[in-house]
Amino acid sequence: MTVTTTLTALVPTGPDLTGYRIGEPQRAGALTVLPIHGPQRPGIVPPRSGLKLHQVVGYGSVELHNGAAAGVAIVPLHIGYIQEGAQNHALCSAALLAAGQTRRFPDACCVQAAQGGYLEGRDQWFFVLPWELRAAALRLRGQEGYSKLWSDISALNREYGLAARGHLEQIISRRRAVLTQFRSRLELLPGQLGALFFVGDEFAGLEIAPDPAYFAEVWMPLVCFAYGVAAWRAEPRPGKPEPFEVTDLAGLRAELERERTDHREKLLAALPSATGAQTAEEERYLDLRLHTVTGGGLAGQFVAEHDRLVYASLFAAREPVAAG
Amino acid sequence: MRTVELLHHFSTHATPLGLPRGGEVSWDDAEFHRAAWAADPEGYLLTALVPGARPQQRARALLQALAASWAGVADGSRVTLEKATRAILFDLPPATVLTVLLALRRLRANHKHTTRAVLTFVLDHPQAPTLIDARRPTLVDCFEHALGKATARGCARRIAEGDTDSEYLRRNLLRFGADPEQTRARVTALYGPGVPGVPVPRTGVAPLDPEREREPVITSTNRGDVAATLVHLYRGGPEAELRPALGRYLAEVTRGLPPMPGSIALVADTSESMRGYGDREWALLSQAVALRLVLAEVCPRLSVVEIGAGPEPTDLAGGLLDALATGPELVVLVTDGYENRLSGDLARVVATLPRLGIDTPIVLCRSMFTGRDDLTLRNPAPALPCLDFWHQDDFAGLLPRLFAHCADGRDWIHAAVRHRLDHRLEGVRP
């Protein structure tokens, strides 16, 4: 199984993935990341430096603005904004925004129940919805209703031993000091533009950006919040280290490398197949096509241009946690 | 007793000396101190002066040194012991010294060096006038224990009667003080009415540990000059201005430090997580590089294994194996504590080494942003001894604790402390 076919199996109805390379894994607690390097698609406006939250029009409706002079912006899937003392929102879908365009998303989810106030334009750090909420949020795209994700958030909080409320802030903000350490525990490598994420040995998600600069801007929201939340809850307790069965230093080095290789192969073998998944085009901008993937245990969205992959955010579809 | 154990005990065991009214001195680690003193009196006391030793331990060292006989101690060592005890007398909070002096009285220790130390404290300590006001009966007890009650009171009576320089006063009192006029004034105060309600000074007058500049808000550029200059270099500041300054600041840090002859391998983590981001960008890396530069100045046989600088993530386990391959006396892992490659690898490699007959000491040194960093997830090999640092001032205590693992470490520590003793502030020297 080559690396390309490994990735191709994950991205249905096939954009060309030739040239993408999967690197050596990094593991921090329960979270393992395999970096992806590959072909770049320059000119896409990245979300932190180019995309701005323009305003919150009302609960469940936000406006984003592509402030770049040139270049289409790909709004990352499930991007959300948290601000002190204000109502916080996340989007249910990715999107394509032309340069200078302002667009309203009336199907946004409010992620903080029962607190007044709106987001303001300042202090715009963003997150990506935790893995456990992503399938539900994707299913809710196109549906209006600011409170539509509250029951799932509440159930997630309860599952994590927190107060059963529709406040994602209980995790994203109050556990921020622990979650943001994933940014240091797992390092973004030079030239990296994507990653495979595993929680435990279970495949969690595939994320690919148009270029390394774009990926660098989504790296922290992905590693700390999209996948870091589940990994934080699954953080293993440190055990007694097991010595290697070797007799000299050279043997120790060889055994260390062998175990690392075995670990990588084991992870790649655990990747699911997109067989059985369906894709549907959501929107297009010139030759860029945004597709949604559902079924076959996978969910998410990807952007292709002609037959080349430009952006992907695909994850193992967890059933929505039961609403309490 | 190994220096590394002594240093560890001095920096971790914090139970205060107990002196219950009418009871015996309560000293839970007395046997440890007695054994260390018996093995090497001079080395024991010098080691207690290493920055980072707890005041409770310095108090014990003072008590041990002043309670024990110095018979059989060579003349050269006696001079060092005198300097070291004087340094501790002036370093510790006065209330702690008073506890030691009362313990000596309770133990009926009356060696000549005991007398000299007690009288140095009463007659020469710059804070003595305040102490006499605050704790007059205690100081009188200590004074009378040192001189003998009859002699002490005889001296006080003579001074009260106007005697300034009689043979009796010179033989029994004045020879112990640095300044005869000050000595007479203090004895007069000791036997005077006292001033109720005066608080005891809370800190010593000549701290042995570096007096730290501490800003209310810690930034990446107020954690010592070497690291601050490096931060400006990393930010793209002018090399022509910053490089010479870096050399000057480095010389200040290493001034007076003897060369460390042992072979030391430094595994230097230079990865993305060491760089950091936001307000803390460059903070951890700059302090780690500052330590590396200091080690390079002090250790002529330093070898460096750099990890995390290339396209691969930090690999502490691989770096350790590379360092061990050079056959060093000591391996120093300088990192932020994030393993990055595969967590658990370093701990497994460390657990394997004894099976291979490799007993090279390995010390993990964690670079931090402040002394209050959360290190819960930053201990990749809990079996390794760990030294943390965040400010340039921390190097004064960190270097001895590192070098203590080398064969030459004991001598290096003693030489470094002797140098400091010889360059104490005016007024603190004997």
Side-chain angles (χ1 to χ4, degrees):
Chain A
M1 181 169 61
T2 67
V3 167
T4 301
T5 53
T6 300
L7 281 181
T8 303
L10 269 173
V11 184
T13 59
D16 183 7
L17 294 169
T18 306
Y20 286 104
R21 303 179 308 281
I22 301 175
E24 297 301 317
Q26 294 181 57
R27 181 181 60 215
L31 185 58
T32 302
V33 171
L34 277 75
I36 295 174
H37 291 75
Q40 301 180 22
R41 195 313 194 166
I44 301 293
V45 174
R48 187 176 178 92
S49 54
L51 202 58
K52 296 298 173 200
L53 178 68
H54 190 246
Q55 65 171 325
V56 176
V57 185
Y59 286 124
S61 184
V62 299
E63 281 185 359
L64 298 187
H65 174 68
N66 176 2
V72 62
I74 296 179
V75 179
L77 179 58
H78 297 147
I79 189 174
Y81 294 87
I82 291 267
Q83 289 184 240
E84 289 299 322
Q87 197 67 265
N88 305 311
H89 285 77
L91 300 189
C92 294
S93 175
L96 304 170
L97 260 69
Q101 184 184 355
T102 299
R103 180 163 157 191
R104 182 174 297 183
F105 294 86
D107 63 340
C109 305
C110 174
V111 295
Q112 188 172 358
Q115 181 172 336
Y118 292 125
L119 285 163
E120 295 173 15
R122 60 184 166 77
D123 190 24
Q124 292 190 1
W125 70 273
F126 65 85
F127 63 93
V128 170
L129 280 176
W131 176 29
E132 294 96 325
L133 298 172
R134 300 191 78 185
L138 186 67
R139 220 182 337 264
L140 293 169
R141 72 192 186 285
Q143 297 180 25
E144 295 189 17
Y146 61 88
S147 63
K148 59 192 176 185
L149 203 59
W150 285 358
S151 61
D152 294 297
I153 296 170
S154 176
L156 182 67
N157 278 327
R158 192 178 58 239
E159 195 174 294
Y160 282 4
L162 304 170
R165 303 186 298 173
H167 286 244
L168 193 55
E169 177 267 348
Q170 287 187 150
I171 297 172
I172 299 291
S173 295
R174 293 194 198 164
R175 312 291 164 170
R176 195 176 176 199
V178 175
L179 294 174
T180 52
Q181 286 193 63
F182 277 113
R183 189 192 191 282
S184 297
R185 298 172 77 188
L186 298 162
E187 292 180 322
L188 182 66
L189 301 180
Q192 182 180 347
L193 52 60
L196 288 161
F197 293 86
F198 296 81
V199 175
D201 290 335
E202 180 186 358
F203 168 74
L206 163 69
E207 304 286 340
I208 291 180
D211 58 37
Y214 186 111
F215 193 68
E217 294 196 6
V218 292
W219 170 246
M220 187 167 177
L222 289 172
V223 76
C224 300
F225 303 118
Y227 301 106
V229 171
W232 158 62
R233 292 304 302 174
E235 181 82 29
R237 300 184 69 166
K240 191 177 177 190
E242 185 186 340
F244 290 98
E245 294 294 334
V246 293
T247 55
D248 56 25
L249 265 185
L252 176 54
R253 189 185 292 273
E255 189 63 12
L256 181 66
E257 289 307 318
R258 191 189 64 74
E259 292 226 353
R260 287 173 172 180
T261 303
D262 287 353
H263 181 62
R264 181 176 186 274
E265 295 306 316
K266 183 179 164 190
L267 292 172
L268 292 178
L271 286 176
S273 164
T275 310
Q278 298 87 44
T279 64
E281 183 178 321
E282 293 283 337
E283 64 179 70
R284 63 176 60 183
Y285 181 83
L286 299 178
D287 293 329
L288 294 169
R289 304 282 188 275
L290 170 65
H291 298 273
T292 297
V293 177
T294 52
L298 275 180
Q301 293 183 316
F302 67 88
V303 175
E305 188 175 36
H306 305 298
D307 60 346
R308 295 292 311 176
L309 184 71
V310 175
Y311 167 87
S313 181
L314 300 170
F315 44 87
R318 285 189 159 185
E319 283 303 307
V321 283
Chain B
M1 185 171 297
R2 292 177 64 218
T3 305
V4 69
E5 291 164 7
L6 204 53
L7 276 173
H8 180 71
H9 186 84
F10 285 169
S11 59
T12 55
H13 194 86
T15 319
L17 273 177
L19 197 62
R21 188 179 293 273
E24 292 195 358
V25 182
S26 165
W27 199 10
D28 61 343
D29 54 351
E31 192 47 47
F32 179 91
H33 281 263
R34 268 195 286 274
W37 169 269
D40 175 13
E42 185 182 354
Y44 161 79
L45 205 54
L46 288 173
T47 307
L49 305 189
V50 169
R54 291 181 175 269
Q56 300 89 341
Q57 287 296 316
R58 288 205 179 122
R60 286 160 161 79
L62 183 65
L63 177 57
Q64 174 63 50
L66 294 180
S69 166
W70 291 6
V73 176
D75 286 348
S77 293
R78 280 172 180 261
V79 172
T80 305
L81 292 179
E82 292 274 6
K83 285 183 185 175
T85 50
R86 189 178 175 93
I88 298 177
L89 282 172
F90 287 27
D91 159 74
L92 288 175
T96 306
V97 177
L98 282 178
T99 303
V100 172
L101 300 189
L102 285 174
L104 287 166
R105 179 172 177 266
R106 199 75 59 86
L107 293 168
R108 300 181 190 282
N110 57 0
H111 307 291
K112 286 180 182 172
H113 55 268
T114 316
T115 299
R116 281 197 299 276
V118 174
L119 294 177
T120 292
F121 185 74
V122 176
L123 303 177
D124 289 350
H125 197 290
Q127 294 167 323
T130 311
L131 283 170
I132 291 170
D133 288 341
R135 300 281 300 273
R136 198 181 61 84
T138 306
L139 280 161
V140 168
D141 281 350
C142 296
F143 181 66
E144 293 186 348
H145 165 239
L147 281 184
K149 186 183 288 186
T151 306
R153 293 183 178 182
C155 289
R157 193 183 66 247
R158 280 175 165 78
I159 291 170
E161 291 168 357
D163 184 353
T164 57
D165 196 33
S166 68
E167 170 60 20
Y168 183 89
L169 270 192
R170 269 186 274 126
R171 189 177 68 247
N172 290 300
L173 177 67
L174 298 181
R175 69 189 175 98
F176 293 110
D179 176 357
E181 189 178 337
Q182 175 178 285
T183 300
R184 288 190 295 271
R186 292 201 175 170
V187 173
T188 301
L190 272 176
Y191 289 92
V195 181
V198 175
V200 179
R202 299 179 68 174
T203 55
V205 286
L208 282 161
D209 291 4
E211 290 187 74
R212 296 172 176 233
E213 160 204 354
R214 288 291 182 268
E215 302 291 339
V217 177
I218 294 167
T219 69
S220 57
T221 54
N222 63 9
R223 303 150 70 249
D225 287 330
V226 176
T229 309
L230 286 166
V231 168
H232 288 301
L233 277 168
Y234 297 149
R235 287 174 178 169
E239 294 254 345
E241 189 171 76
L242 294 169
R243 287 284 173 199
L246 182 63
R248 286 198 306 275
Y249 295 137
L250 198 54
E252 283 173 20
V253 177
T254 57
R255 184 173 300 134
L257 293 179
M260 172 64 199
S263 62
I264 295 175
L266 168 67
V267 179
D269 178 356
T270 61
S271 62
E272 167 77 13
S273 64
M274 287 289 284
R275 171 174 171 163
Y277 59 96
D279 293 341
R280 300 182 177 193
E281 190 176 26
W282 304 118
L284 271 56
L285 183 66
S286 63
Q287 205 60 270
V289 172
L291 176 59
R292 174 177 169 174
L293 293 173
V294 168
L295 287 171
E297 287 289 315
V298 177
C299 310
R301 294 172 64 203
L302 180 75
S303 60
V304 178
V305 174
E306 216 170 77
I307 55 172
E312 298 298 326
T314 308
D315 181 4
L316 288 174
L320 172 61
L321 293 177
D322 290 344
L324 287 170
T326 66
E329 274 184 61
L330 168 68
V331 178
V332 185
L333 303 174
V334 178
T335 174
D336 52 9
Y338 293 117
E339 189 163 8
N340 298 137
R341 186 66 173 86
L342 291 185
S343 57
D345 279 355
L346 180 67
R348 291 191 68 190
V349 166
V350 167
T352 308
L353 294 176
R355 293 183 166 202
L356 310 183
I358 296 172
D359 57 3
T360 308
I362 304 162
V363 181
L364 190 77
C365 291
R366 289 181 296 197
S367 182
M368 307 188 298
F369 181 65
T370 76
R372 293 186 295 278
D373 281 13
D374 180 0
L375 297 170
T376 311
L377 298 169
R378 293 168 60 182
N379 195 0
L384 292 180
C386 201
L387 299 171
D388 300 325
F389 63 101
W390 68 275
H391 195 286
Q392 180 175 302
D393 291 344
D394 293 333
F395 297 163
L398 186 142
L399 294 182
R401 284 170 179 77
L402 268 185
F403 297 159
H405 293 273
C406 299
D408 296 309
R410 176 181 167 278
D411 291 344
W412 186 92
I413 291 167
H414 295 175
V417 176
R418 276 196 204 94
H419 180 272
R420 289 187 59 214
L421 277 179
D422 290 341
H423 292 78
R424 297 277 286 167
L425 294 172
E426 286 299 318
V428 184
R429 289 186 219 163

